Each structure stands twice: as structure tokens, then as C-alpha cells.
């Protein structure tokens, strides 16, 4: 990368199932000049997220072929004609998957970072970013987790999952159960992140493993934060107590295949138990950003919680990082350090 050359990832084909490296291209362009009302940002960290996979299929709101992809990013202003941004400012924006971007303060979620002393940059794309905000909204608004309640979170070793575990513990959850995709991740959940129980969903029926893990709480859970869908949702419905709540964040089990799977066979239990199931879209909760930071920053500074990230070095590995995230190669949030 040179000072007068920019790079961006373009999608050049629609994936069939799991995305192939050949579905993308790295495109070289001159570094853009800021127009009046814009600032030029040199990106430092990029986020690759599960939601990108759905947008790659195109359609309403999806990615167009032959144009730079978008994603959450943190960068530094290197030139500005925007009165709201000064050279040297650190900013969060959504013009990721590229080395340089033109942004406008307040547009498309672009905001100057508060720059909390003692907080690493990775935090702003993980526990203080979209993943942390999703987890915080799911627990405090959608599911209204109360002190002393029991929680199950699927894909618990991923970005939203690890953030959910941290935040739930800070909110006073009694017992936290997680599912993950490998024995190493299960050990990470219980040995490092402090989950009370965890299981590998490859080891047997999810419903049976969850029921066994929940036996220590009297055989039930109060809240389920769902990042997977499918058999995980069915299993959670079985063990949820009366008036339990489901915050449905994502369905990673469906991202590379059938987007319309059969409904859980026990769906009527939602009625029988007076359960509540509600979807969580982080864009509906951006008003909670300052509240999230005020809540978590003291714990980040004290070391009680961490950023929980897997950082891939080098912009030219962005597609590798994305595909690795979909395979579950990451612990915590998958990020790309641009100048690796």
C-alpha cells in the first residue's frame, strides 16, 4: 500500500452456497480527494460480519456487483473538508472493505470516537461496536434480562456471543450456558470467558445437550440469545421456563443454504409457555451507543472484560478473514488490521 494508492474489495459474482475466493476481487484505485463536506479516512481496522453473507445474494438492499463492499470500520482522518471532522480524528464508519474512504460526520452512522483512555482500538469494532451493541440491546431491551436469571447463548464463542456472555454476567445473570462448534471453543468459553457450562453442538442433539447443561439450574433457562436458529431454537424452546424470552439476533445455520427452513417442531410451546420471541436489529438501537460505552468502559479499563477479537493481519487477507469467520475459525469478533 502506498500513500497515493487505495484498494477495495469488490464482489464480482454471486456465491452459490459457501462464498468462494473467486467471488471477490481486490481493486486498485487512486486515493480519493475529499470534496466539500467530506473527510478522507485511512482505515485501520475492518470488521467482517455474518450479515455480509446475506447481502452478497443481492436483491433489495443487497450488495451490487463490481462495487466496493461496505462494512464497519475504524480509521483516522488524513484530510478534511468537513467542519465536523479534523485531521487526526479517529472515526467509526461503514465504508469498510477498503483502505481509504470518504465520509461525512453524522451520515450513514459516521461518528468521531470518544477515544476512551486505556481502551484498545479493537474494542470499537467488538464489545463497543456493533456486536457489543447487539448483545446489549438483546439483553437489556429485547429480553429484559433480570438479575438472577439463567441464560443460553448460541454461537457463544463468536463476536455477539462473547459480548453477550460478558454483558449478561455484568447484569447479574445467575448461570450462563453456551454452545460452540469445537472442543477448543467449549474450553475457551468455560475456562477463559467464565461460562458456567458449554457444549459442542457436533457432539449430539442440541436439545439433549442443552437440557443436560440446564439441569444444574433446575432444568430450565429464562432467556435465550439466538445467533443460530434451527435446532438451537427448537432446543431452547423446550427448556425455556414459563414467560421466557428469546432475542433472535441471527441464523448462521441458514446463511449458506436454505433461508426458509422448517419451523421448530415445538413452536406451539411459545403459546403454551407464554414465551416471547422478538428479533434484534442493531440499527434500531443506535441510540444506546453512549449508554453501552458508559456501562462497559470501566470494566474494560479494569480488565474485568476484554475485547475478545481474532485479528487477521493485512488488507489483502480481508476475504480470507470473511470466509474464515463463516467457517467459525475465530474466537470472538473477527477483524482485519489493514496495514498488517
Amino acid at each position: 500500500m502506498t500513500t497515493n494508492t487505495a484498494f477495495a474489495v469488490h464482489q464480482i459474482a454471486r456465491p452459490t452456497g459457501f462464498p468462494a475466493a473467486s467471488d471477490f476481487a481486490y481493486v486498485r484505485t487512486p486515493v480519493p480527494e475529499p470534496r466539500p463536506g467530506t473527510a478522507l479516512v485511512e482505515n485501520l481496522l475492518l470488521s467482517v460480519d455474518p450479515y455480509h453473507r446475506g447481502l452478497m445474494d443481492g436483491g433489495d438492499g443487497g450488495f451490487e456487483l463490481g462495487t466496493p463492499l461496505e462494512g464497519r470500520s475504524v480509521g483516522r482522518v488524513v484530510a478534511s473538508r468537513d467542519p465536523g471532522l479534523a485531521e487526526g480524528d479517529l472515526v467509526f464508519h461503514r465504508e469498510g472493505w477498503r483502505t481509504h474512504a470518504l465520509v461525512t460526520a453524522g451520515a450513514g452512522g459516521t461518528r468521531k470516537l470518544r477515544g476512551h483512555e486505556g481502551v484498545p482500538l479493537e474494542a470499537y469494532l467488538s464489545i463497543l461496536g456493533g456486536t457489543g451493541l447487539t448483545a446489549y440491546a438483546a439483553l437489556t431491551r429485547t429480553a429484559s434480562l433480570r438479575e438472577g436469571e439463567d441464560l443460553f447463548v448460541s454461537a457463544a464463542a463468536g463476536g455477539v456471543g462473547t459480548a453477550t456472555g460478558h454483558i449478561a454476567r455484568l447484569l447479574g445473570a445467575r448461570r450462563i450456558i453456551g454452545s460452540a462448534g469445537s472442543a477448543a471453543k467449549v474450553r475457551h468459553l468455560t475456562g477463559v470467558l467464565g461460562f458456567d457450562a458449554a457444549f459442542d453442538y457436533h457432539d449430539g442433539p442440541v436439545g439433549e445437550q442443552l437440557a443436560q447443561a440446564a439441569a444444574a439450574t433446575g432444568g430450565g433457562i429464562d432467556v435465550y440469545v439466538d445467533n443460530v436458529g434451527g435446532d438451537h431454537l427448537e432446543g431452547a424452546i423446550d427448556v425455556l421456563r414459563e414467560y421466557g424470552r428469546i432475542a433472535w439476533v441471527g441464523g448462521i445455520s441458514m446463511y449458506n443454504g436454505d433461508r426458509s427452513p422448517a419451523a421448530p417442531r415445538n413452536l406451539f410451546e411459545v403459546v403454551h409457555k407464554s414465551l416471547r420471541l422478538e428479533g434484534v436489529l442493531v440499527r434500531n438501537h443506535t441510540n444506546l451507543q453512549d449508554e453501552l460505552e458508559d456501562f462497559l468502559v470501566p470494566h474494560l479499563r479494569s480488565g474485568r472484560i476484554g475485547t475478545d477479537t481474532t485479528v487477521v493481519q493485512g488488507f489483502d487477507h480481508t476475504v480470507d478473514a470473511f470466509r474464515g469467520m463463516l467457517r467459525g475459525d475465530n474466537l470472538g469478533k473477527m477483524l482485519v488490521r489493514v496495514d498488517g
Side-chain angles (χ1 to χ4, degrees), residues 9 26 99 312-321 336-338 340:
V9 177
Y26 290 88
T99 58
V312 173
Q313 304 292 331
F315 179 75
D316 55 342
H317 292 293
T318 300
V319 173
D320 296 335
V336 177
R337 188 177 302 280
V338 175

Side-chain angles (χ1 to χ4, degrees), residues 11-336:
Q11 183 185 345
I12 59 174
R14 300 292 180 200
T16 301
F18 193 88
S22 58
D23 294 329
F24 308 92
Y26 290 88
V27 177
R28 180 196 306 255
T29 62
V31 172
E33 293 286 339
R35 305 180 301 273
T38 70
L40 174 64
V41 172
E42 185 173 35
N43 287 331
L44 303 173
L45 284 171
L46 310 176
S47 175
V48 292
D49 296 284
Y51 79 87
H52 287 125
R53 176 60 188 89
L55 297 178
M56 288 173 183
D57 288 336
D60 187 25
F63 291 141
E64 296 182 10
L65 296 181
T67 60
L69 299 184
E70 67 85 23
R72 302 181 182 107
S73 182
V74 167
R76 189 179 302 279
V77 176
V78 293
S80 181
R81 300 180 68 184
D82 179 347
L85 294 171
E87 187 174 333
D89 284 347
L90 285 172
V91 297
F92 169 91
H93 64 90
R94 300 189 65 90
E95 301 294 320
W97 291 59
R98 66 196 84 181
T99 58
H100 298 77
L102 292 177
V103 303
T104 298
T110 299
R111 56 184 170 84
K112 180 180 174 181
L113 294 180
R114 292 167 68 182
H116 303 285
E117 186 177 351
V119 174
L121 202 61
E122 290 84 355
Y124 297 101
L125 289 178
S126 57
I127 191 76
L128 298 183
T131 49
L133 188 60
T134 298
Y136 186 75
L139 290 170
T140 65
R141 297 322 196 259
T142 306
S144 300
L145 178 74
R146 295 184 286 271
E147 186 174 357
E149 290 190 319
D150 301 311
L151 168 75
F152 171 49
V153 54
S154 54
V160 173
T162 55
T164 299
H166 284 312
I167 294 170
R169 187 67 75 198
L170 294 173
L171 292 172
R174 181 177 66 162
R175 185 170 171 83
I176 304 174
I177 302 168
S179 71
S182 72
K185 288 184 176 182
V186 168
R187 290 192 297 270
H188 183 73
L189 290 175
T190 56
V192 177
L193 298 184
F195 278 63
D196 298 284
F199 61 87
D200 182 346
Y201 62 83
H202 294 109
D203 287 346
V206 169
E208 293 179 12
Q209 294 194 81
L210 176 57
Q212 183 177 358
T217 67
I221 58 173
D222 302 291
V223 169
Y224 172 41
V225 175
D226 188 5
N227 295 295
V228 176
D231 57 353
H232 281 70
L233 178 57
E234 183 172 298
I237 289 173
D238 271 344
V239 300
L240 275 160
R241 300 186 176 107
E242 191 174 27
Y243 302 110
R245 289 89 68 202
I246 302 166
W248 197 350
V249 172
I252 199 166
S253 66
M254 300 175 279
Y255 288 157
N256 296 302
D258 184 5
R259 302 297 172 86
S260 302
R265 293 166 296 181
N266 58 352
L267 193 58
F268 190 73
E269 288 298 300
V270 172
V271 177
H272 186 251
K273 295 183 179 180
S274 298
L275 306 179
R276 191 176 82 238
L277 187 157
E278 184 178 340
V280 184
L281 280 177
V282 69
R283 67 170 178 254
N284 295 330
H285 299 282
T286 54
N287 62 304
L288 301 179
Q289 182 65 44
D290 286 347
E291 181 181 322
L292 171 75
E293 295 185 25
D294 291 342
F295 178 64
L296 290 180
V297 164
H299 301 294
L300 281 165
R301 286 174 170 159
S302 72
R304 184 176 180 183
I305 63 173
T307 59
D308 298 304
T309 56
T310 297
V311 181
V312 173
Q313 304 292 331
F315 179 75
D316 55 342
H317 292 293
T318 300
V319 173
D320 296 335
F322 170 66
R323 297 176 73 240
M325 177 273 302
L326 291 179
R327 286 192 302 265
D329 293 347
N330 53 302
L331 284 173
K333 182 74 189 69
M334 182 72 93
L335 301 176
V336 177

